[in-house]
Amino acid sequence: MSYELYYWPGIQGRGEFVRLALEEAGANYIDMAREPNAEATLIAFLERTDITHPSFAPPFLKDGHVLVGQTAAILLYLGDRHGLAPKDPTRRLWVHQIQLTIADLVGEAHDTHHPLGSDLYYEKQKPEASRRAKWFREERIQKYFDWFETILARNPDGDSYLVGDTLSYADLSLFQVVEGLLYAFPKKAKALLAESPRVSALREMVAQRPRIRAYLESDRRVKFNEQGIFRHYPELDR
């Protein structure tokens, strides 16, 4: 039976973190965002009244009778089933904690272009976005990168992975968030990445994994664009 991944069509968004895990696992899945009438299908699913545990918003993953929402929860579910999380419960919780911190970073990146709310177009909040982006560039990105560098440096099993000596979904998610920051803030992100050798090495390692590389080079990988979470507005990357 195939997984069904539901997300908005035309953007990577939070669904991309799940796609990377599914691709690395070689899992059989249907990306419903790439199917005909994707948005209508998604909305119809969200409006169903026969679901006991409805998701608040996409992404959500359907596995037979199991429905899991929230990116971190989906990855926790997939990690246990596809060898993308440690078996040790303490380490498994640590991977989950890292993922939740990555989710915080993703939220902050989004708020640089929509600091007043998603109900307003970017053009309606440009002054506020400029101030928010300046703080994010000058303070927050480096703080997150420093934390990831620290985690890698303190890993008892070596600095190749965030946790243990094998790849976890947290490594895949760190790769994705770095890619997003390089797209949205190329000047600042490149400079900080040059000062973060372990994060940089992890990014390169993930990109060269056979299944991930094949996915990145395929037309199934939606390109970053100005409708997603990571958006490149030159005036915000000064």
Side-chain angles (χ1 to χ4, degrees):
M1 183 180 295
S2 299
Y3 293 114
E4 293 179 3
L5 173 63
Y6 289 81
Y7 198 65
W8 300 108
I11 60 174
Q12 291 185 13
R14 291 175 175 84
E16 195 67 13
F17 295 92
V18 181
R19 292 188 187 100
L20 288 171
L22 291 166
E23 292 289 337
E24 172 61 26
N28 187 16
Y29 77 101
I30 301 172
D31 188 348
M32 302 301 291
R34 306 300 295 271
E35 296 294 301
N37 303 312
E39 186 167 339
T41 300
L42 172 62
I43 293 173
F45 202 114
L46 288 169
E47 293 178 345
R48 285 175 56 175
T49 60
D50 61 330
I51 298 175
T52 305
H53 301 146
S55 295
F56 179 74
F60 51 88
L61 185 80
K62 186 175 183 296
D63 179 19
H65 297 295
V66 177
L67 188 65
V68 188
Q70 290 285 358
T71 305
I74 297 170
L75 293 172
L76 182 67
Y77 181 80
L78 292 174
D80 288 344
R81 284 155 180 77
H82 296 283
L84 291 175
K87 293 182 179 179
D88 175 74
T90 301
R91 288 189 170 192
R92 187 164 63 248
L93 184 60
W94 176 222
V95 171
H96 184 54
Q97 180 180 330
I98 295 170
Q99 185 65 43
L100 291 171
T101 304
I102 290 173
D104 291 341
L105 172 53
V106 171
E108 290 189 29
H110 169 272
D111 289 348
T112 60
H113 51 78
H114 277 75
L116 298 183
S118 298
D119 58 323
L120 298 175
Y121 287 111
Y122 166 68
E123 289 73 18
K124 297 292 185 179
Q125 47 192 316
K126 290 181 72 173
E128 293 84 3
S130 179
R131 290 195 292 271
R132 185 62 174 263
K134 183 176 185 294
W135 174 72
F136 183 69
R137 289 194 320 269
E138 296 181 359
E139 303 291 338
R140 303 300 289 169
I141 301 178
Q142 182 164 13
K143 187 169 184 177
Y144 279 108
F145 275 24
D146 288 347
W147 188 71
F148 294 128
E149 279 286 308
T150 298
I151 292 172
L152 289 162
R154 294 181 185 178
N155 182 356
D157 295 307
D159 61 2
S160 296
Y161 303 97
L162 289 167
V163 182
D165 59 358
T166 57
L167 186 87
S168 72
Y169 62 79
D171 298 308
L172 297 170
S173 293
L174 179 54
F175 163 81
Q176 174 63 12
V177 82
V178 170
E179 292 298 295
L181 291 172
L182 286 170
Y183 174 79
F185 302 97
K187 293 180 182 178
K188 188 64 176 181
K190 286 179 182 177
L192 292 177
L193 196 60
E195 300 172 1
S196 308
R198 295 178 179 88
V199 172
S200 181
L202 184 146
R203 175 199 173 219
E204 294 297 328
M205 176 272 294
V206 171
Q208 293 305 314
R209 292 184 70 85
R211 287 173 175 164
I212 296 299
R213 183 175 180 178
Y215 171 64
L216 296 177
E217 294 175 352
S218 75
D219 61 2
R220 293 179 293 113
R221 166 84 159 178
V222 177
K223 296 183 182 299
F224 287 107
N225 58 60
E226 276 50 71
Q227 301 301 316
I229 292 172
F230 299 102
R231 306 185 186 186
H232 177 58
Y233 297 114
E235 63 271 23
L236 300 184
D237 186 36
R238 295 175 179 172

